[in-house]
Structure formats: C-alpha cells, structure tokens
Amino acid sequence: MQPKRGGLTFTEAARRKQIVAAAIEVIAELGYVRASFAQIAKRAGLSSPGLISYHFANKDELIGQVVAEVYATGGALIRPRADNVATAADALRSFVEGSIAFYDTHRSYMRALMQILNGHPEARERWFDAPNTSELAGIEEVLARGQRDGEFREFPTHTVAVIIRDLLSGALLRLLVTPDLDMAAYTREMAELCHFAVAKP
Amino acid sequence: MQPKRGGLTFTEAARRKQIVAAAIEVIAELGYVRASFAQIAKRAGLSSPGLISYHFANKDELIGQVVAEVYATGGALIRPRADNVATAADALRSFVEGSIAFYDTHRSYMRALMQILNGHPEARERWFDAPNTSELAGIEEVLARGQRDGEFREFPTHTVAVIIRDLLSGALLRLLVTPDLDMAAYTREMAELCHFAVAKP
Amino acid sequence: MQPKRGGLTFTEAARRKQIVAAAIEVIAELGYVRASFAQIAKRAGLSSPGLISYHFANKDELIGQVVAEVYATGGALIRPRADNVATAADALRSFVEGSIAFYDTHRSYMRALMQILNGHPEARERWFDAPNTSELAGIEEVLARGQRDGEFREFPTHTVAVIIRDLLSGALLRLLVTPDLDMAAYTREMAELCHFAVAKP
Amino acid sequence: MQPKRGGLTFTEAARRKQIVAAAIEVIAELGYVRASFAQIAKRAGLSSPGLISYHFANKDELIGQVVAEVYATGGALIRPRADNVATAADALRSFVEGSIAFYDTHRSYMRALMQILNGHPEARERWFDAPNTSELAGIEEVLARGQRDGEFREFPTHTVAVIIRDLLSGALLRLLVTPDLDMAAYTREMAELCHFAVAKP
DNA sequence: CATGAATGAGCGTTCATTCAT
DNA sequence: CATGAATGAACGCTCATTCAT
C-alpha cells in the first residue's frame, strides 16, 4: 500500500507534475496548436502519448492543470509582496512591479497561458474568467483603500482597475514579443505611469 | 487575354480578395486553429478547398495576405487623423483615440490578427515585426517632436513609445474580451493617461 | 460540369455504393466491432481510411446507409411476391417463404444487419424501429384481411403478427448459425406451421 | 496453504465468481463492445483492470466463463421441470414454458449471452455449438418419444426440433427488444403453437 | 495475492495539399 | 479557371495486457 496525497499515489502525483511541466514547455515553444500529446510525451520522456491519457481524463483536464499551475505559482509570488506594505500606493506599485517581475521570470509559463487563452475555444470561460475577476477585485480594493485613506484622487475605481489590469496585459505581450527588453527601465516607467494615473495631483 | 493588375487578371484579384475576406471572418469567429480551408471555402461560397490552394501558394501566403489587409486598412484610417493636427500632444491623442476607434469598429479584423499572431508559429517575424517597428518609429517621432517643441517633459522617447504602444495592446485585448465595454469612457481615460504620462507637469 | 443524381456526382454515388458494399462484406465477415474504416477501406481497395470520412459524414452515416441498402433490397424482393396473390393465406405463405428466401440468398446482408443491431448502441431506435413497425403492420393487415374473408380463425391479430415476425427472426438466426441447413425442408415446415397457427381448424 | 477446489483457493474461486457476475452485468448493460476490463473492474469494485488479467488468462477465458455460468444456471432451472412430467406433450410444453420463463427472469443473463454470441468472432464454435447440439438432442428425444407413444403425428423429428428451438430464439429476441411484452399471453400462444405443430390432428 | 503504472496498437476523424479533367 | 476526388499524416483517445513491487 503506497502512501497517498489526496487520493493520488506519490508516483501518480509526480508523473502528473512532470507531464504538466512538459506541457508548459511544449505549449510555450510550439504554441497550443502544435502541442500534441505526442510532442508533450516526447518532451517528458514518456514512451507513449497514451500514458498522458492514462494520467489525465482528457486534454482539457491537462490544460486546466497547466493553467492552475501557472496561476498558483503567480499568486504565491505576487500576493505576499503586496500584503507586506503599508500604504495603498505602495501596494499598487508592489502589485505592478511584482506582476511584471513574475512575467519576466516565468516567460514560458506566461507564454503557455497566452497560447491556451488564444488557442482553446472555451479557455476564457473555463479557466480565466474566475481568477481574472478576483484579481480585478483585488486591484479595485487597493484603489478604494487609497481613496479612503486620502492617498488617491477620486475616480471610478472599477474602470481604473480595468485599465491598470490592461496595462499589465500590454506589458506581458511586449515581454513575450521583445525578449531583450530593458526590464528595469520598462518596469520603472510602468510603475511611474500607474502612480501618476491614480495619485492626488 | 484579360487585362492584368500586377500580373493578376481581374477575376484572379477578385477571387483573392473574396477569399481573404472570408478568411478574416472565419479566423475571427472560429479562431486560427479551426479556420481550415474547408471552412473558409464554405464561407466564401467556393465549391472546393482546393480552389484556395489554386489561388494561394499555401496557407502561409493566405495568412500573410490577411495580415497585410488588416494593416493596410488600419493604416489608411489612423494615419491621416494624426497628420491633420497641429501639436504633438494632439497628434498623440489623435493616434491613441484613432487606434482604439479602429479596434472598436474592426473587431473581427483585430480578432483575426490576434489569432494569427498567437496561432502561427512564425507570425511575428514574418508579418508583424516590420509594421510594428514602423508604427513604433511613428510614435517615437511624435514624442521627440513634442519634446523639441517644449510640449512634453523629458523622458527616453523609445521606452515611452513602447509603453504607449503596449497600452494600446492592452486596450485591444480588453476590447476583444469584454465586448460590452463602455468605449467612450475607456477611450477618454486611456487618452488622459497617455497625456499625463508625457505632458510637462 | 458533371451530371448529378440528387446532388451527388456520378463518381460520388458510385464510390458511396462501393464503400457501402465493402462495409456489408466486412461487417458480415468480421463483425461490427472489427469493421473499422481501415478494414473497410482495404476491402474496397481504397488508399486510405480517410477517404471514407471524405464520402460519409461519420461512421453512423455509413452504417445507416448499410441498413437502408439491406432494407431496400429486401423490400424490393419480398413485397411484390405478396402483392400478386389472391387470398390472405397465400399472402402470408408468400411473405414467410419470401422472407426466408431473402435471408437465404442474402446471408451477408442479414449477418451485417444483425451485427449492426447488436453492436451499435443506438441501432434499434435509429434504423430498425421504424421499418420493423411498418413490417409488423403489414403482417397484421394480412391477418385482419384473412379474418374478414373468413379464411382465418379468430385471434388477436397484433399478438399473432408479433409471433410470426419472431418466427422469422428465429429462422434468420438459425440460417446464420447453421449454414448447411436443408432450406427447402425448413421453409416448408415453417410455412406449414404458420398456416396451422392461423387457419380455421 | 489454503484448501483448494480444483486447484483454486477459496479466495481465488470467489474472485472469479465476482468478476464473472460483474462481467454479465456490464455486458448486458453496455453491450459486448463497451464491456472493457476497466468497466468490469469498476463494477466489481476492483482496484485495477490488471486484476482481471491476473485471474483469467485472457479476455476469452473470462467470456467463456460467462457463457458457462449462464448455461449452467439455465440448465439447472429448465431441465428438472421437463423431467417431472408424464407425457411427451407435457414435457414439450414444460420445456417451452420453462425456457421462456427463464429468459424472462434472467434477462441480463440472456442479453449478455446474445451480446457475446454476436460480438465475439468465434463465440459460436467455442462456446455455443456444444450446448446447443445437446439441447437440440433433448428436444428431438422428446419428439421421438411422443411419436413412439402415439401422442405426436409423424414428422422428421430433427427438422421440427430445430424449428421449435428457433421459435424460442425468436421469443428471446422479442423479449429483449420489447421489455414490456405481455409475457403470460405470449407464452400461452407460443405453447399452443408448439402443441399444434406436433400433436396428432 | 493485489496493485497501479506502463505499453503500443488501433480507433474515427480532420487537415492542407495535389491533380486529372 | 474551376472542380471534386483523392491522399496520407497527424490528432486525441481507448484498449487488453504486462510487470515490478
């Protein structure tokens, strides 16, 4: 009898992690369309694509795990940064800088995420809407706090939260398209921009 | 012998336009992956997918024509707006508002473009890098003019041009994902943001 | 422009017939389960299983055509025999003898039919219930006519029609299981049995 | 060392029975094609399809055990009924009624049997021919006795035995296809029919 | 005895592309 | 110029079976 983790054997859990990692790499490099079970299995060193079907109910389950892994990793890195700060302005700056830093250090993760979002016909509703909404709510909360504390000027918090979220989307796209970008300069200017956008004049 | 346009007969040119238009629609609606020759042919009212192969060397040539068509249409609508203004600040605002307006009125064009950028393995190098570089140069030129004329504060024109370009990318993504967005408000805030980002305090 | 038959080209119609014929043979010989597109294509001399998908929307459409072909052939051979007789007793005998004769001369057709009925999860509702109901109605009509004309004794026509239909099912099973059966004797006895079952004592 | 039954330990024998029972249920419900080891294992509450391979040499051995189980159960219920009667006519009626009653009370058994007969490529020769021949001999014996005792009219006993056997096949098919059949009426008519078929006028 | 991980062949289907007519 | 038939590779997935533990 092997010990288990939430109904999964040790080896089962390890295999799943291994396959998810290989899937991320392959999707990031070849794109979602070309990320077939055959390619993923080859990357993971598996003998047969059928082994992936053995460990995941179907392709959607695997892709869902990929998305979950990316969001879990990102959340674990970005959220704490924003929690350990005093003012709302610092929280906002922390969130923006943390997000861009995460995008920078996890480019293949983010490339895979974008590929899935654009390649899978129901990706948004299935895996993205919920975390995006919650992320948006987090930004809006910080903005509202800043207004309550008198740090920020008056503006419709929801609309500005959306715009800040979109700034980061644009930054991510840039990062993926221009790999040799001067990250320090880019991050600094972007943080400044966000600051100007919300701070009291 | 029919009269020709650049080596193409009238009917040939018409057929190509028709196929490109159908391809844009299908890619925008079904995504790049599902935009098979069969689907495009059906949409264009053609009798056979083979006819597309007859008129285009291969799928890449067709996709390249789609990209070219989108950029040509966008350039024709956005550039004149920015040319007929006096100050650099007005040019910048005109460019930002014009871009978002174009995204808004040509959603299927832009959706197709994004699908191709994300779905085709070599889309960026082949079709996107050149027009993007030239667009970036245009923005940078306006920014430099603004600094020369004393309208804008000092900043590294290239980095800020990149950021402004990315703001628009983020806006485009938002537009495609949130179709019922309040465009007027969003555009206004975005333009303001760009203004704050570059204007002398 | 090729001439057409109901929207189908000559060659298209010919190919479909050829594939249906090959499917009947393969299903009869290997059983429904092993009757893969690969086997059918090999039997039909096609270069690729994909060609079957080219001519039929999916496997169900092909199987449906097989069933239709068998029923059409059977109906064309059995019905006229029963129409050209005077009395209900003769019609019944004609139907029974005709059915068994058809089963005998079209064993692979009937074996394929039985394989589909047993192998396809929704075969009965999709393709068999309707023709079976209509066949049953035909038998019942003959029985009712026999009673009206005073040839047959009184009995519940529906129940007896069902039993006669089941007699033929049993005969078909026998035929498929015992290929070297003495058909003449078997048919004679079966016809006698049906006669005894309904005739006035 | 555990005590054995024919080379099998107690647990071994119990496991085999359990697996055979699950196989019957699954084959009856899903059909032979979909009755995979995975489904049977799930139904039997086993942890792995591999366990079935462990207890049975291969799928054929399991299927053979299923057939044997059904025939054993049926023989144990039908034969005694026919043994405890005086006349051949009563024996025949008893056999017919007993068979239909068994079919009726063991529908999943019979459905599984039919699925195997139609789904397995060599089912008939391997598992069905022998018991069928012996059953046929039993019917023929009753018919011959009836003729010797002057109960039955003259007829070729073998052919009529075959036909009576086929009547039951037809009844079984009907039963499986029309679950809400009026069994009492159907059985009565069928028994009458058999009586008319053999009795002296 | 039992388990779960692994294997590799085969399934139906889609696809861009070719080619004779 | 246009057509429709054909091709063969690749896709996600299921299956009976094997085997180390």
Side-chain angles (χ1 to χ4, degrees), chain C:
Chain C
M1 189 76 71
Q2 300 189 26
K4 311 232 178 170
R5 289 272 182 279
L8 273 63
T9 323
F10 269 149
T11 53
E12 165 83 4
R15 265 277 188 258
R16 284 174 66 98
K17 278 208 167 186
Q18 176 196 8
I19 292 170
V20 166
I24 292 177
E25 289 179 29
V26 171
I27 296 172
E29 287 180 25
L30 305 185
Y32 179 77
V33 200
R34 270 159 294 279
S36 66
F37 275 19
Q39 291 288 343
I40 296 171
K42 196 203 297 178
R43 176 70 56 115
L46 308 180
S47 65
S48 151
L51 190 55
I52 302 180
S53 290
Y54 176 77
H55 288 286
F56 295 87
N58 48 40
K59 193 168 192 182
D60 279 357
E61 200 212 332
L62 171 57
I63 299 302
Q65 289 303 311
V66 166
V67 175
E69 161 72 9
V70 174
Y71 270 113
T73 308
L77 289 181
I78 300 175
R79 221 164 288 156
R81 282 179 73 148
D83 288 349
N84 297 331
V85 293
T87 68
D90 285 345
L92 181 61
R93 173 177 300 266
S94 208
F95 171 75
V96 169
E97 289 175 352
S99 295
I100 297 184
F102 177 72
Y103 300 162
D104 183 32
T105 54
H106 293 75
R107 298 191 182 205
S108 68
Y109 271 51
M110 297 312 295
R111 198 182 296 274
L113 210 64
M114 295 298 288
Q115 281 291 327
I116 291 169
L117 177 56
N118 281 282
H120 190 287
E122 300 171 356
R124 193 164 43 77
E125 309 92 61
R126 277 209 212 182
W127 303 302
F128 288 80
D129 275 350
N132 274 352
T133 302
S134 112
E135 188 186 11
L136 213 48
I139 303 177
E140 202 172 340
E141 197 182 298
V142 170
L143 296 180
R145 176 153 64 94
Q147 291 182 331
R148 264 199 323 273
D149 297 351
E151 291 181 81
F152 296 164
R153 62 174 173 89
E154 287 305 305
F155 50 75
T157 53
H158 185 73
T159 303
V160 173
V162 167
I163 289 185
I164 287 175
R165 186 41 294 210
D166 295 349
L167 255 50
L168 292 175
S169 297
L172 172 57
L173 248 56
R174 170 63 54 192
L175 204 58
L176 300 181
V177 149
T178 312
D180 55 346
L181 195 68
D182 178 347
M183 290 310 301
Y186 191 91
T187 305
R188 191 187 331 117
E189 296 287 333
M190 190 60 93
E192 285 290 292
L193 206 81
C194 290
H195 181 72
F196 288 149
V198 299
K200 275 196 167 159

Side-chain angles (χ1 to χ4, degrees), chain A residues 39-51:
Chain A
Q39 291 288 343
I40 297 171
K42 197 203 297 176
R43 176 69 57 115
L46 309 180
S47 64
S48 152
L51 190 55

Side-chain angles (χ1 to χ4, degrees), chain A residues 9 15 47 54-55:
Chain A
T9 322
R15 265 277 188 259
S47 64
Y54 176 78
H55 287 286

Side-chain angles (χ1 to χ4, degrees), chain A residues 8-120:
Chain A
L8 272 64
T9 322
F10 268 150
T11 53
E12 165 83 5
R15 265 277 188 259
R16 284 173 66 99
K17 277 208 168 186
Q18 176 197 8
I19 292 171
V20 166
I24 292 177
E25 289 178 28
V26 172
I27 296 172
E29 287 179 26
L30 305 184
Y32 179 78
V33 201
R34 269 161 295 280
S36 65
F37 275 17
Q39 291 288 343
I40 297 171
K42 197 203 297 176
R43 176 69 57 115
L46 309 180
S47 64
S48 152
L51 190 55
I52 301 179
S53 291
Y54 176 78
H55 287 286
F56 294 87
N58 48 40
K59 193 169 191 180
D60 279 357
E61 200 213 331
L62 171 57
I63 299 301
Q65 289 302 311
V66 166
V67 175
E69 161 72 9
V70 175
Y71 269 113
T73 308
L77 290 181
I78 300 175
R79 221 163 290 155
R81 282 179 73 147
D83 288 349
N84 296 332
V85 293
T87 67
D90 285 345
L92 180 61
R93 174 178 298 266
S94 208
F95 171 74
V96 169
E97 288 175 351
S99 295
I100 296 184
F102 177 72
Y103 300 163
D104 183 30
T105 54
H106 293 75
R107 298 193 183 203
S108 67
Y109 271 52
M110 297 313 295
R111 197 182 297 272
L113 210 64
M114 295 299 287
Q115 280 291 327
I116 291 169
L117 177 57
N118 281 282
H120 190 287

Side-chain angles (χ1 to χ4, degrees), chain B residues 95-126:
Chain B
F95 171 75
V96 169
E97 290 175 351
S99 294
I100 296 184
F102 178 72
Y103 300 161
D104 184 30
T105 55
H106 292 75
R107 298 192 182 206
S108 67
Y109 271 52
M110 297 313 294
R111 200 182 294 274
L113 209 64
M114 294 302 288
Q115 281 291 327
I116 291 169
L117 176 58
N118 282 284
H120 190 285
E122 302 169 353
R124 191 168 45 78
E125 308 92 61
R126 282 211 208 177

Side-chain angles (χ1 to χ4, degrees), chain B residues 101-165:
Chain B
F102 178 72
Y103 300 161
D104 184 30
T105 55
H106 292 75
R107 298 192 182 206
S108 67
Y109 271 52
M110 297 313 294
R111 200 182 294 274
L113 209 64
M114 294 302 288
Q115 281 291 327
I116 291 169
L117 176 58
N118 282 284
H120 190 285
E122 302 169 353
R124 191 168 45 78
E125 308 92 61
R126 282 211 208 177
W127 305 302
F128 288 78
D129 275 350
N132 274 351
T133 302
S134 113
E135 188 186 12
L136 215 47
I139 304 177
E140 201 172 342
E141 198 183 298
V142 170
L143 295 181
R145 177 153 65 95
Q147 292 184 329
R148 264 199 322 274
D149 296 353
E151 290 183 82
F152 296 164
R153 64 174 170 89
E154 287 306 306
F155 48 74
T157 54
H158 184 74
T159 303
V160 173
V162 167
I163 289 186
I164 288 174
R165 176 60 281 228

Side-chain angles (χ1 to χ4, degrees), chain D residues 152-168:
Chain D
F152 296 165
R153 63 174 172 90
E154 288 305 306
F155 49 74
T157 52
H158 184 73
T159 303
V160 173
V162 167
I163 289 186
I164 288 175
R165 177 57 282 224
D166 296 350
L167 255 51
L168 293 175

